Every structure is written in C-alpha cells, then in structure tokens.
C-alpha cells in the first residue's frame, strides 16, 4: 500500500467531548461541519452520540442529511447557513433545524415549512452571519410566537481571552436575549475556555474535540504515517527535489515518502518541518511535491523504516499549522482523500 495512513482515535474525541462537557453546566453540543473537520462524519458523530451529545451543528443542509443518516432520528441537527433557497425538502426530510440568519430566511422558512423547528442566529459584532440588533428588534415578537428551538451568536476573538471583543459581544448577546425563555448559545471551543459567563444554555465545541488549539489540554486525535517508497545515499554537493533547493553538505540518506501537497501537506511546510521515526526528528529535504516528500534520515543510521510519522506524539496539527503559517483547523480540513483511514475505539 503506497498511500499514507490516517488513524483517528474515537476514544480521544469522546473523552475531549466529555472533558469539555464537564467544564460547563450548559448542554454541550458538537460542531461536525465539513465532514467532522475532514475526519469522517459517520464514525465521529456516532462516537459523540455514544458519549452523550444530543445536539449537532453543520454548515450546510447537505451535511445535515449525512449526520441524520449516521445518527437516525432523535438528536437535533442545526444548520448554521440557515434556510437557503432550494433546501426545504432536505430540511424537512432530514428533520434539520436551520439557524435563520435574515428576514429573508425567516420568511422562507415560515412560508415553506411552518411546522419545522428552527433557530435564530444573531450578529453580535462579527458581521458574518445573523440578524443585526435592529432587524431582530423588528422581528422579535412574530418570531418568538413561532417558538424557536434556540438563539445563537458567535464570538470573533474567543481564542484571545484578553481581547476586548469578547466582553463586547457578551454584552450585546445579553441585551438581545434578555428575558427570553429559549435556549441560548454563544460559545464554541474558545468561548467555553473563557468561563461560565459565556456558556449560556448550549455550548458548541468543534476543534476542541480533536485536542487542538485553543483547547491545548485536550487529547490529540489524529496520527498520520507516511510509507517510505525508497531510500538512497547522496554525496556532498548532490541536490534533492524540484528546483535543486536542497544540497547535501555531507554524505546523507534520503527517504522518499508517499504523500505531498495534494494530500494537504502544503509546500510551505517544507522549510521548518520534520518527520519522525520514534523519537528521532528527520528534516524535510527540499521541496514538497504533489505526491512525494524527501526526508533526510541520516540521523537514523542504518535503520530502514517502513514509514515516517507526520502527525503523532511529537508533532500535532497545530505544529503543522505554525509551520505552514496557518491554523490547525485548516490542516485538519485539508487532509486529503487519498489516505487510508482507520478509526480506533
Ligand atoms: C465552526 C463553528 C463552531 C465551532 O468552532 P470551534 O472553534 O471549532 O470550536 C461553533 N459555532 C459556529 C457558528 C461555527 O461556525
């Protein structure tokens, strides 16, 4: 087998959900958009449901249908993009709960699916999704008569605990939801860590389920091993890879492993990242190609490893994010479709 192998630890994901749940008196949902951050909606949503999650959130109605197929009837499945034109059948057939974002969406929902549960998304300053305070003030009474299942907003800067925006959005959310007897939700992973003022009735962790920043106390859930296709000796002065960007300064051994930027291992990783064999770090040599990475394994001596570890005990998704100038979220959701996958439980 020449593809890399991704191992997803369902126990770690379930444990992370439980430890986040233990930090709050609120009901803990699970955000499972983008195929559970690229890791596989069916096994992960089932593991989360077994751990106790009863509310799930996705970005689009199509994703909600996949979650419903995995979980069957019962759990609430909220859709952040709300009720988009053309989605009524999907919403009804899969019993989804769209988080309505605008006057247009409210009208569409009440006209096409008056009996179907819905929530509301309010904008508290991020200016991305949700109704503005003035729109909400105008719609509030008629909408409340239809009994929304939830009212939510989203924090823009929750990963920076000292950012003034957190308190500002908290104040705005409180003003817009004051006196309502409807479940309210403001916080994703970062907001949970800000403390109980931010928790309200429902919290919505996503990235924290995988033990990535900002939930650094969580257990990492992903291992990625790349098979070695070939090893070779190079002499001082010989170059490796596209553009001749790496030149041997001494006799070196180079392993060529199977995975590249087409598998979500961005070219920008090459300059600072290593792969691991046990506790030994082996730097990347030269550029990352589409399907291949060259690794300087001189430090391993005569050992001939069958694979090298890209994500594991020594190096997690946030390390790759740092090395590529991005965030762990983007690393996870970029992991390619070519890897073979196994789910540990
Ligand atoms: C993605 C998302 C979440 C989950 O965020 P994390 O930072 O991954 O915990 C929660 N709420 C909304 C509206 C989101 O878009």
């Amino acid at each position: 087998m020449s593809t890399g192998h991704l191992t997803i630890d369902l126990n770690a994901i379930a444990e992370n959900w439980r430890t986040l749940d233990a930090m709050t008196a609120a009901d803990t949902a699970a955000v499972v958009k983008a195929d559970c951050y690229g890791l596989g909606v069916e096994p992960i949503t089932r593991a989360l449901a077994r751990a106790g999650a009863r509310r799930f959130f996705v970005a689009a109605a199509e994703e909600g249908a996949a979650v419903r197929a995995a979980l069957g009837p019962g759990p609430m499945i909220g859709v952040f993009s709300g009720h988009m034109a053309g989605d009524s059948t999907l919403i009804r057939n899969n019993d989804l709960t769209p988080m309505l974002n605008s006057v247009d969406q409210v009208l569409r929902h009440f006209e096409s699916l008056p009996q179907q549960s819905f929530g509301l998304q309010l904008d508290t300053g991020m200016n991305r999704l949700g109704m503005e305070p003035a729109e909400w003030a105008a719609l509030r009474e008629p909408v409340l008569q239809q009994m929304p299942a939830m009212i939510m907003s989203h924090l823009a800067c929750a990963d920076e605990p000292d950012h003034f925006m957190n308190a500002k959005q908290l104040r705005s959310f409180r003003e817009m939801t004051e006196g309502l007897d409807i479940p309210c939700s403001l916080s994703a992973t970062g907001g949970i860590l800000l403390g109980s003022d931010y928790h309200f009735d429902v919290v919505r962790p996503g990235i924290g389920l995988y033990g990535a920043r900002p939930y650094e106390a969580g257990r990492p859930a992903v291992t990625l091993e790349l098979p070695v296709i070939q090893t070779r000796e190079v002499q001082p002065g010989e170059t490796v890879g596209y553009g001749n960007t790496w030149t041997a300064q001494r006799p070196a051994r180079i392993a060529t492993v199977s995975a590249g930027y087409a598998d979500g291992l961005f070219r920008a990783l090459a300059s600072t990242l290593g792969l691991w064999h046990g506790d030994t770090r082996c730097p990347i040599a030269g550029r990352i190609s589409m399907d291949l990475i060259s690794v300087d394994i001189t430090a391993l001596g005569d050992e001939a490893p069958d694979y090298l570890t890209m994500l594991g005990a020594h190096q997690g998704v946030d390390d790759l994010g740092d090395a590529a100038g991005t965030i762990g979220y983007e690393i996870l959701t970029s992991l390619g479709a070519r890897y073979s996958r196994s789910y540990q439980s």
Side-chain angles (χ1 to χ4, degrees), residues 93-333:
N93 290 352
N94 295 285
D95 189 18
L96 307 179
T97 302
M99 299 290 134
L100 306 178
N101 288 298
S102 64
V103 178
D104 281 354
Q105 289 200 344
V106 168
L107 295 176
R108 179 180 296 130
H109 189 77
F110 288 1
E111 274 164 26
S112 62
L113 297 175
Q115 305 301 318
Q116 180 66 34
S117 79
F118 68 97
L120 287 165
Q121 189 153 193
L122 304 179
D123 179 60
T124 50
M126 188 175 185
N127 285 308
R128 189 177 68 167
L129 283 179
M131 279 182 251
E132 303 266 331
E135 283 178 299
W136 174 229
L139 274 188
R140 197 179 147 116
E141 289 318 314
V143 164
L144 290 176
Q145 278 168 19
Q146 305 298 316
M147 301 293 288
M150 170 176 299
I151 296 187
M152 62 167 283
S153 188
H154 192 51
L155 296 168
C157 304
D159 57 341
E160 297 174 58
D162 298 328
H163 203 292
F164 72 90
M165 190 68 169
N166 296 319
K168 189 169 175 238
Q169 289 191 267
L170 177 61
R171 212 169 338 141
S172 168
F173 191 60
R174 279 194 176 135
E175 280 165 18
M176 283 198 272
T177 59
E178 212 177 320
L180 296 183
D181 192 19
I182 291 168
C184 289
S185 176
L186 179 62
S187 285
T189 304
I192 296 173
L193 303 177
L194 292 178
S196 56
D197 281 356
Y198 287 82
H199 294 177
F200 294 87
D201 304 301
V202 178
V203 292
R204 311 185 307 270
I207 194 73
L209 303 174
Y210 311 106
R213 235 180 263 152
Y215 185 42
E216 304 200 60
R219 260 174 73 186
V222 182
T223 308
L224 176 58
E225 290 163 339
L226 306 181
V228 176
I229 301 175
Q230 189 180 9
T231 60
R232 71 182 67 245
E233 317 282 334
V234 294
Q235 297 308 315
E238 285 193 85
T239 57
V240 172
Y242 282 124
N244 284 5
T245 60
W246 190 91
T247 305
Q249 306 298 323
R250 48 170 168 67
R253 274 176 79 221
I254 300 292
T256 305
V257 301
S258 175
Y261 60 76
D263 304 290
L265 302 174
F266 306 125
R267 287 170 91 247
L269 293 168
S271 52
T272 56
L273 207 69
L275 277 71
W276 292 80
H277 179 63
D279 295 328
T280 308
R281 183 180 180 279
C282 304
I284 292 176
R287 288 191 183 150
I288 292 175
S289 321
M290 187 184 293
D291 321 300
L292 299 167
I293 301 174
S294 303
V295 186
D296 179 357
I297 59 165
T298 313
L300 301 183
D302 291 334
E303 251 188 294
D306 293 328
Y307 63 85
L308 294 170
T309 303
M310 178 61 99
L311 287 169
H314 291 289
Q315 181 166 282
V317 294
D318 290 318
D319 299 306
L320 266 64
D322 290 344
T326 179
I327 52 176
Y329 298 70
E330 192 178 21
I331 298 293
L332 279 180
T333 55

